[in-house]
Amino acid sequence: MSVHLHWFLPTGGDGRTLVDRHAYTDGGVKRSRITPVSGIRAPDIEYLAQIARAADQLGFEGVLTPTGTWCEDAWLTTVALSQHTERLKFLVAFRPGVISPVLAAQMAATYQRITRGRLMLNVVTGGDATEQRRFGDHLDHDSRYARTAEFLSVVRGVWAGQPFDFEGEHYQVRGGLTALPPDPLPPIFFGGSSRAAGPVAARHSDVYLTWGEPPEQVRRKIDWIRSLAEAEGRTVRFGIRLHVITRDSAAEAWATADRLLADLDADTVAAAQEALGRSESVGQQRMLALHGGQRDKLEIAPNLWAGVGLVRGGAGTALVGSHADVADRVEEYHALGVDHFVFSGYPHLEEAYWFGEGVIPELAARDALAPLPAGSGGAPGAGGRASAAPLLLAGGR
């Protein structure tokens, strides 16, 4: 399999800092551009369209859109952005516990027709009880995964185009139907590191998505899910979620990481670690264990930096280095079985260009990339991606 590259849409806001301030004086609700916090960008449609168009033109296959209280709704935002892009796919994150599975199946079918087949689904079971209760969901951690399994059974059942009955603990459906099933069926991305998550991934996911742990830990996780899937008679592909800081030289990249770290005072880190430590998510606890809240020894594997996780929940590691360094690490994870890479950076617009004009040509020169559909951005000669020849922007970026 070849490498599939995806970027990230910061629908909760963007900026030049790791601190997730939701940095609007109103707590991130009104999205005012007038704010006393410098370097913060509101996630309005104009800015998100800039990122989406950049990803489209630079050669990313898709973009992940998050879900949560402080994010714009992923379904509505991405279907709007589909009208600003040509071939870019949208990996829409959503929580199965707050929507009917039959309605979700119908929404996916409509989405595929509107966008001409550009939907991918990221099913987020949820590891934060406080966040879940905010949306009216009061199930415990393991019960949420059991419900997700039922949810995905119903979704796939009604996509068959025939009346579908289902009798489960969480869902009872009579004659469930998607009259016009999606074409093609959107792939289902799913993540989870707990014992409860593994069987759900094995039975229902197309792509198992993990946060960026060191290669040996990722290898063990892949072996775990692959063995569970084989017992179910299924094959699951694998993806990884990482931040990235890539520059023309390794020294420049690490200097950027140091600048981001310098913005974090001890009180900010301590408050973030306390809040993140209350999460029920096993994946989140694994992220926290990589650095233990300490600033020293943050390079936990070659070019893998855990500084992001000092203050940010979820994906907490970044690949840091020259374009060739980052390409080496991508190939290292790919050799373990990872096909899909979902990257992000601060700010997302500029970092998309650094990656797209630096790492993508490097990977293309190594024949590591999956071809993009016809009509994509980029010069011919690399499967529709930008040429592996030098791309112009030395220095000043």
Side-chain angles (χ1 to χ4, degrees):
M1 297 286 289
S2 299
V3 168
H4 299 259
L5 297 174
H6 310 275
W7 198 243
F8 185 83
L9 284 172
T11 58
D14 198 9
R16 299 191 300 272
T17 172
L18 293 178
V19 180
D20 189 7
R21 295 184 173 105
H22 300 301
Y24 314 94
T25 54
D26 55 19
V29 177
K30 295 181 180 177
R31 310 303 192 196
S32 171
R33 288 184 178 276
I34 302 173
T35 170
V37 182
S38 64
I40 297 300
R41 302 172 190 177
D44 53 37
I45 198 67
E46 291 81 12
Y47 179 62
L48 295 175
Q50 287 185 61
I51 298 173
R53 284 193 295 264
D56 203 22
Q57 294 161 7
L58 289 166
F60 292 95
E61 182 175 332
V63 285
L64 170 65
T65 307
T67 183
T69 299
W70 304 110
C71 305
E72 298 288 12
D73 177 75
W75 293 94
L76 295 174
T77 302
T78 56
V79 81
L81 292 173
S82 72
Q83 308 306 299
H84 293 265
T85 52
E86 295 181 5
R87 53 133 198 101
L88 190 69
K89 296 179 181 179
F90 296 94
L91 181 50
V92 175
F94 72 99
R95 291 189 172 95
V98 297
I99 187 174
S100 153
V102 178
L103 177 59
Q106 183 183 35
M107 290 167 62
T110 300
Y111 196 112
Q112 287 294 60
R113 286 188 288 278
I114 290 174
T115 65
R116 296 178 175 87
R118 292 197 272 156
L119 174 65
M120 304 180 290
L121 295 174
N122 182 30
V123 178
V124 180
T125 300
D128 185 332
T130 299
E131 175 82 353
Q132 295 299 124
R133 288 194 294 268
R134 190 176 291 136
F135 286 88
D137 179 13
H138 295 268
L139 291 184
D140 63 37
H141 176 276
D142 288 2
S143 296
R144 291 197 294 269
Y145 279 101
R147 180 181 58 197
T148 295
E150 291 189 12
F151 181 98
L152 292 174
S153 294
V154 174
V155 167
R156 292 196 186 276
V158 301
W159 275 348
Q162 301 293 329
F164 177 78
D165 294 342
F166 184 85
E167 186 69 33
E169 179 182 356
H170 303 282
Y171 299 105
Q172 297 81 42
V173 175
R174 298 288 179 269
L177 177 67
T178 301
L180 294 173
D183 184 20
L185 295 180
I188 293 173
F189 288 63
F190 173 89
S193 297
S194 68
R195 290 183 179 274
V200 183
R203 293 171 190 156
H204 297 284
S205 68
D206 297 305
V207 179
Y208 175 82
L209 191 61
T210 181
W211 289 329
E213 299 178 0
E216 177 57 26
Q217 294 183 30
V218 170
R219 183 193 64 76
R220 291 197 296 267
K221 191 175 284 188
I222 286 174
D223 289 346
W224 170 51
I225 297 298
R226 183 176 283 146
S227 65
L228 291 175
E230 288 174 352
E232 297 287 339
R234 299 186 71 244
T235 299
V236 175
R237 301 189 300 279
F238 296 93
I240 194 166
R241 173 78 179 89
L242 288 155
H243 305 283
V244 64
I245 303 171
T246 181
R247 295 293 185 270
D248 296 334
S249 71
E252 291 178 87
W254 284 107
T256 301
D258 290 341
R259 180 188 60 77
L260 290 172
L261 194 63
D263 187 56
L264 306 179
D265 59 65
D267 289 343
T268 297
V269 172
Q273 291 296 293
E274 181 182 0
L276 294 171
R278 294 193 293 268
S279 174
E280 296 176 327
S281 167
V282 174
Q284 182 63 72
Q285 298 309 315
R286 290 169 68 104
M287 284 284 102
L288 295 177
L290 295 177
H291 53 71
Q294 303 302 310
R295 291 172 180 262
D296 58 338
K297 299 180 181 178
L298 286 172
E299 189 178 3
I300 56 176
N303 303 108
L304 184 64
W305 183 65
V308 180
L310 290 175
V311 291
R312 186 193 189 279
T317 54
L319 296 184
V320 181
S322 68
H323 306 314
D325 291 337
V326 173
D328 287 345
R329 300 288 78 77
V330 169
E331 289 198 312
E332 181 179 12
Y333 281 113
H334 183 53
L336 298 177
V338 176
D339 297 324
H340 290 265
F341 292 79
V342 183
F343 288 111
S344 55
Y346 294 90
H348 289 75
L349 181 60
E350 288 91 327
E351 290 297 335
Y353 276 99
W354 275 116
F355 191 98
E357 294 172 345
V359 181
I360 287 181
E362 183 75 29
L363 290 170
R366 304 180 189 192
D367 293 324
L369 297 177
L372 294 175
S376 65
R385 297 179 186 274
S387 167
L391 274 179
L392 3 138
L393 300 177
R397 181 172 289 279

